[in-house]
Amino acid sequence: MRKLLSVVVWTLLCCSLSIQEDIFTSIGQMTDLIHTEKELVQSLKEYILAEESKLAAVKSWANKLDSLTQVSSSDPEGFLAHPVNAYKLMKRLHTEWSQLESLVLQDPSEGFISNISTHRPFFPDQEDEKGAAKALMRLQDTYQLDSESFSRGKLPGRLHSNVLLTVDDCFDMGKTAYNDGDYYHSVLWMQQALRQLDMGEDSVASKATVLDYLSYSVYQMGDLPRAIELTLRLVALDSGHQRAGANLRYFEQLLSKQLTEVKQSELTSFEEPIQIGTYARPKDHLPEREVYEALCRGEGVQMTEKRRSGLFCRYHDGNRNPRLLLRPMMEEDEWDSPRIVRYLNALSHDEIETIKQLAKPNLARATVRDPKTGVLTTANYRVSKSAWLEGEDDPVVARVNQRIEDITGLTVRTAELLQVANYGVGGQYEPHFDFSRRTFDSNLLVDGNRLATYLNYMSDVEAGGATVFPDFGAAIRPKKGTAVFWYNLFSSGEGDYRTRHAACPVLVGNKWVSNKWIHERGQEFRRPCGLTPGN
């Protein structure tokens, strides 16, 4: 039974490739996996009960026959002298042992295997696991959380959590980074795995294996003394470790005279824990990385008392729009220049749920337009799934489109469809412009550039997920049912480069938004063109 159960569990874990793509990029779609897993657990329990019932029957046979054979084998001739015993022996060996053989050959796992085979095409694949691991690393960087915080479930927005990472979880995180050549994160997670091993936690991964990965990753970060220290620990655990001995000799040669003068007792001392800040994080493609991530943490927001004193709230009737006269929108200033406003009660709970249900079946990995080719493609700096809804899809969508037109005073006839987005594990969209900066963009010939952005927040987010503007230091927090609005272009038609913004990674929670990008065409009399550049 143990062997068969191992096969079943292995089948569960080693699944074929999913027919869905990038499941980790949408919490909304990941919720389906929760129900799938619950169904599989129930199926597994039923299989275990069937195996236990089968084993109990076999044990009963074994106990009965054990007592009988002890008697019969002590005096075979005497035992068979009784005609009933002779008859029953014939019957047992001809009929009953055959029945026992059939019982043993029964396979209670068929139902479970059939169930899991049905669900297997919808399982996450290796890229999903890798993407989710990288998402945790992204959250770790953005919100400056050490591996210990993640491992022990100590996240902002959650007072208590029993969601823990085991040694093997931490090791797999580190290995994912290692295989990508990301030695910075490999060090952080291998160090956490080692810390938990040193505390006595059980694991499949051995301490020697963790030290092997960790020592080489530390070496790649340029810390030769610590690499030697860790390698010596590895050699002490496994003196026959071939790679460790070779690495140690190589590391010592690199350190040359400096290391030959250090006493071995000093080298084998327990190293100080490696934490965020021990090594410099490698630079990447994003020039405003530090400013952007600081704003996501709520640091560096340029909201001074003087600026705040110039922000107001008011009732907005869309220049006496008939649909807003009796029920004007509550409008709050979020920022003065460029002007960003928030509208309260922009969507009702029922409208939000309808939009989410309409979008969910059509969610697909969000794309970006390649600045060189203009072709839509996926990118690691945009982690979410989106769907596009037309007014004809449902009266709620048509009503929301009309409401956007009433509030902004801009026509939505030339606007893009309502885009609904759901962010996945560590979901984000790094700093970007909503308007096109290409000198010639065939996509803009008909309706013009993206004049303005109207963004509906359709969920609260426990931690993270803010909309930030690195250029002027604004951070806008999601609030369910509200909407924010800003212009991407000056009245002259030039792009307002200050509106470069980002969706911060979602740390805790499930973020849903819907966007309406309003284009230039049709706004000639609603927002007249200005003659002065930059206005």
Side-chain angles (χ1 to χ4, degrees), residues 197-217:
L197 280 170
D198 286 337
M199 294 172 63
E201 186 175 320
D202 294 329
S203 69
V204 175
S206 67
K207 185 176 290 189
T209 302
V210 173
L211 283 167
D212 188 17
Y213 278 94
L214 179 58
S215 60
Y216 187 77
S217 298

Side-chain angles (χ1 to χ4, degrees), residues 95-328:
T95 302
E96 297 180 5
W97 274 99
S98 296
Q99 293 173 350
L100 180 59
E101 180 183 19
S102 298
L103 176 62
V104 171
L105 290 175
Q106 286 179 5
D107 187 3
S109 68
E110 289 181 358
F112 175 73
I113 296 299
S114 174
N115 196 5
I116 197 173
S117 297
T118 301
H119 290 291
R120 186 181 296 121
F122 304 98
F123 280 6
D125 60 18
Q126 185 177 4
E127 288 304 309
D128 284 303
E129 182 179 350
K130 182 179 177 180
K134 287 186 174 181
L136 292 190
M137 298 174 203
R138 180 164 57 249
L139 293 173
Q140 184 178 28
D141 294 338
T142 303
Y143 298 103
Q144 295 186 343
L145 302 170
D146 57 30
S147 304
E148 176 79 12
S149 297
F150 267 110
S151 181
R152 299 309 175 199
K154 300 174 184 177
L155 299 180
R158 289 289 172 97
L159 295 178
H160 303 286
S161 176
N162 59 354
V163 182
L164 308 178
L165 292 175
T166 64
V167 170
D168 293 309
D169 291 331
C170 296
F171 173 76
D172 288 339
M173 288 282 295
K175 193 173 179 181
T176 296
Y178 182 94
N179 291 338
D180 263 7
D182 179 5
Y183 299 108
Y184 173 78
H185 288 107
S186 177
V187 166
L188 293 177
W189 286 100
M190 289 299 177
Q191 171 69 24
Q192 180 60 29
L194 180 61
R195 181 183 294 116
Q196 291 178 212
L197 280 170
D198 286 337
M199 294 172 63
E201 186 175 320
D202 294 329
S203 69
V204 175
S206 67
K207 185 176 290 189
T209 302
V210 173
L211 283 167
D212 188 17
Y213 278 94
L214 179 58
S215 60
Y216 187 77
S217 298
V218 165
Y219 155 68
Q220 287 289 343
M221 294 303 296
D223 190 348
L224 280 171
R226 195 186 297 264
I228 289 178
E229 183 178 355
L230 291 165
T231 306
L232 284 169
R233 282 193 65 184
L234 172 54
V235 171
L237 280 175
D238 184 359
S239 59
H241 197 292
Q242 184 176 358
R243 185 167 54 253
N247 284 350
L248 183 59
R249 288 189 295 273
Y250 177 66
F251 296 159
E252 288 177 336
Q253 288 173 4
L254 290 178
L255 270 170
S256 190
K257 293 181 180 180
Q258 179 184 353
L259 289 179
T260 58
E261 296 171 358
V262 178
K263 297 179 181 179
Q264 182 168 326
S265 60
E266 294 176 352
L267 285 173
T268 55
S269 61
F270 184 78
E271 72 275 3
E272 294 180 3
I274 300 170
Q275 300 175 342
I276 290 179
T278 301
Y279 303 120
R281 181 176 156 199
K283 299 293 183 181
D284 65 3
H285 65 281
L286 196 62
E288 66 264 65
R289 170 72 64 189
E290 292 183 6
V291 175
Y292 153 58
E293 292 183 349
L295 287 170
C296 290
R297 296 191 297 271
E299 303 168 6
V301 178
Q302 302 300 310
M303 179 56 73
T304 63
E305 287 302 319
K306 181 179 180 181
R307 169 170 280 126
R308 193 187 305 277
S309 67
L311 303 180
F312 299 94
C313 58
R314 64 191 69 81
Y315 283 106
H316 173 74
D317 62 9
N319 292 324
R320 303 199 52 84
N321 184 292
R323 281 177 288 270
L324 296 179
L325 278 176
L326 297 180
R327 192 180 179 183

Side-chain angles (χ1 to χ4, degrees), residues 256-475:
S256 190
K257 293 181 180 180
Q258 179 184 353
L259 289 179
T260 58
E261 296 171 358
V262 178
K263 297 179 181 179
Q264 182 168 326
S265 60
E266 294 176 352
L267 285 173
T268 55
S269 61
F270 184 78
E271 72 275 3
E272 294 180 3
I274 300 170
Q275 300 175 342
I276 290 179
T278 301
Y279 303 120
R281 181 176 156 199
K283 299 293 183 181
D284 65 3
H285 65 281
L286 196 62
E288 66 264 65
R289 170 72 64 189
E290 292 183 6
V291 175
Y292 153 58
E293 292 183 349
L295 287 170
C296 290
R297 296 191 297 271
E299 303 168 6
V301 178
Q302 302 300 310
M303 179 56 73
T304 63
E305 287 302 319
K306 181 179 180 181
R307 169 170 280 126
R308 193 187 305 277
S309 67
L311 303 180
F312 299 94
C313 58
R314 64 191 69 81
Y315 283 106
H316 173 74
D317 62 9
N319 292 324
R320 303 199 52 84
N321 184 292
R323 281 177 288 270
L324 296 179
L325 278 176
L326 297 180
R327 192 180 179 183
M329 298 296 298
M330 291 181 282
E331 180 184 86
E332 294 180 350
D333 292 332
E334 285 283 351
W335 208 260
D336 53 355
S337 181
R339 187 166 184 252
I340 304 174
V341 295
R342 187 194 294 262
Y343 296 103
L344 308 186
N345 301 322
L347 287 177
S348 69
H349 173 77
D350 289 343
E351 287 174 332
I352 288 172
E353 290 305 308
T354 297
I355 292 172
K356 286 165 62 175
Q357 292 306 313
L358 289 170
K360 193 171 180 180
N362 300 310
L363 288 174
R365 179 72 185 265
T367 57
V368 296
R369 195 172 295 281
D370 188 302
K372 295 181 179 179
T373 66
V375 177
L376 291 175
T377 182
T378 60
N380 291 330
Y381 58 82
R382 187 178 191 183
V383 181
S384 65
K385 283 193 172 183
S386 60
W388 301 83
L389 301 182
E390 300 186 44
E392 293 79 8
D393 290 337
D394 192 275
V396 168
V397 179
R399 186 164 67 242
V400 169
N401 286 340
Q402 182 63 58
R403 186 178 302 147
I404 293 172
E405 181 168 309
D406 294 342
I407 292 172
T408 64
L410 302 172
T411 180
V412 295
R413 288 186 295 105
T414 57
E416 296 173 42
L417 301 180
L418 187 69
Q419 185 205 53
V420 182
N422 180 226
Y423 292 79
V425 183
Q428 63 158 5
Y429 192 178
E430 289 182 355
H432 61 281
F433 298 99
D434 277 356
F435 62 89
S436 174
R437 294 170 293 138
R438 303 179 71 209
T439 54
F440 176 78
D441 191 338
S442 59
N443 295 290
L444 306 180
L445 291 178
V446 178
D447 296 325
N449 214 332
R450 286 175 170 174
L451 172 67
T453 297
Y454 187 98
L455 173 62
N456 287 303
Y457 292 116
M458 302 200 302
S459 65
D460 295 314
V461 180
E462 293 180 58
T467 304
V468 298
F469 295 78
D471 186 81
F472 50 90

